């Protein structure tokens, strides 16, 4: 028997997630307090209101619905995560496990194929995390064969060439960036 969704609870969750989207990031780039470079500033609130007006619903809900509609059996989803800096040489710590949880959900729930792209230093972190998740859940045989973790170049020219190759070979139905900065 399939459990019924409580639409009121789901709407409240979507609104709560959207309130997190609107949080203003800290002004400084790093722990030394070096400010952001000068230039035009985007208003997160303005961007959010414009996107919300266009979608007509909480953005988290709209994104989930779009993903459900496009990431089905055998379809390819690309996830990207990792944020390597001199202070965090193996990458930040919440994006990779969240990415693995989403990858497993897409594979188990929607039967998608998932490719995770990240910096070379983060590949072993994700591979070890995937093995730990599979061991903890006891279902690695069901989803790990449909998961691929690959390094992706950070250099803009090499990244552009690599991205063209990825899309030309097998276009993804979705690309999701988790805790990842930059283009």
């Amino acid at each position: 028997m399939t459990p019924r969704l409580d639409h009121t609870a789901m709407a409240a969750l979507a609104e709560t997630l959207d309130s997190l989207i609107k949080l203003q990031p800290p002004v400084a780039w790093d722990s030394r307090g070096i400010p952001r470079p000068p230039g035009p500033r985007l208003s997160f609130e303005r961007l959010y209101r414009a996107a919300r007006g266009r979608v007509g619903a909480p953005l988290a809900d709209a994104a989930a619905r779009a993903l459900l509609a496009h990431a089905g059996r055998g379809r390819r989803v690309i996830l990207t995560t990792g944020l390597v800096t001199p202070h965090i040489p193996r990458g930040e710590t919440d994006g990779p496990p969240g990415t693995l949880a989403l990858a497993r959900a897409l594979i188990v729930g929607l039967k998608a194929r998932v490719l995770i792209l990240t910096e070379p230093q983060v590949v072993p972190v994700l591979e070890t995390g995937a093995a730990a998740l599979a061991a903890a859940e006891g279902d690695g045989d069901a989803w790990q064969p449909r998961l691929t973790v690959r390094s992706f170049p950070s250099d803009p020219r090499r990244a552009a060439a690599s991205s063209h190759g990825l899309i030309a070979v097998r276009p993804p139905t979705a690309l999701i960036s988790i805790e990842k900065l930059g283009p």
Side-chain angles (χ1 to χ4, degrees):
M1 179 175 191
T2 305
R4 289 191 54 182
L5 291 177
D6 180 343
H7 294 288
T8 304
M10 295 304 291
L13 175 62
E15 292 292 351
T16 300
L17 291 173
D18 266 27
S19 69
L20 295 173
I21 291 170
K22 296 187 302 183
L23 288 176
Q24 194 78 348
V27 175
W29 279 106
D30 65 23
S31 61
R32 296 173 293 157
I34 296 173
R36 290 185 176 156
R41 301 255 191 259
L42 294 175
S43 163
F44 288 106
E45 183 63 33
R46 257 179 89 189
L47 287 171
Y48 172 79
R49 279 196 316 266
R52 175 81 183 239
R54 173 98 188 228
V55 171
L59 300 183
D61 185 56
R65 289 178 190 278
L67 192 56
L68 286 170
H70 295 288
R73 180 175 295 279
R75 293 192 176 158
R76 183 181 193 202
V77 175
I78 296 177
L79 306 178
T80 182
T81 192
L83 172 60
V84 175
T85 72
H87 300 293
I88 44 176
R90 298 228 186 251
E92 57 84 30
T93 59
D94 54 345
T99 301
L100 288 170
L102 178 58
R104 180 181 172 272
L106 290 168
I107 295 167
V108 172
L110 300 179
K111 308 299 184 223
R113 299 191 73 76
V114 176
L115 169 62
I116 299 176
L117 300 174
T118 192
E119 290 90 345
Q121 305 92 309
V122 184
V123 169
V125 172
L126 287 164
E127 290 173 340
T128 302
L133 180 58
E137 295 299 322
D139 65 352
D141 292 344
W143 61 272
Q144 278 189 297
R146 289 183 293 205
L147 172 67
T148 303
V149 178
R150 281 191 14 206
S151 65
F152 193 79
S154 295
D155 174 72
R157 285 191 185 117
R158 289 183 50 226
S162 293
S163 64
H164 290 298
L166 282 170
I167 292 170
V169 171
R170 187 168 177 213
T173 60
L175 181 130
I176 302 169
S177 180
I178 302 169
E179 293 283 328
K180 190 80 177 146
L181 300 178

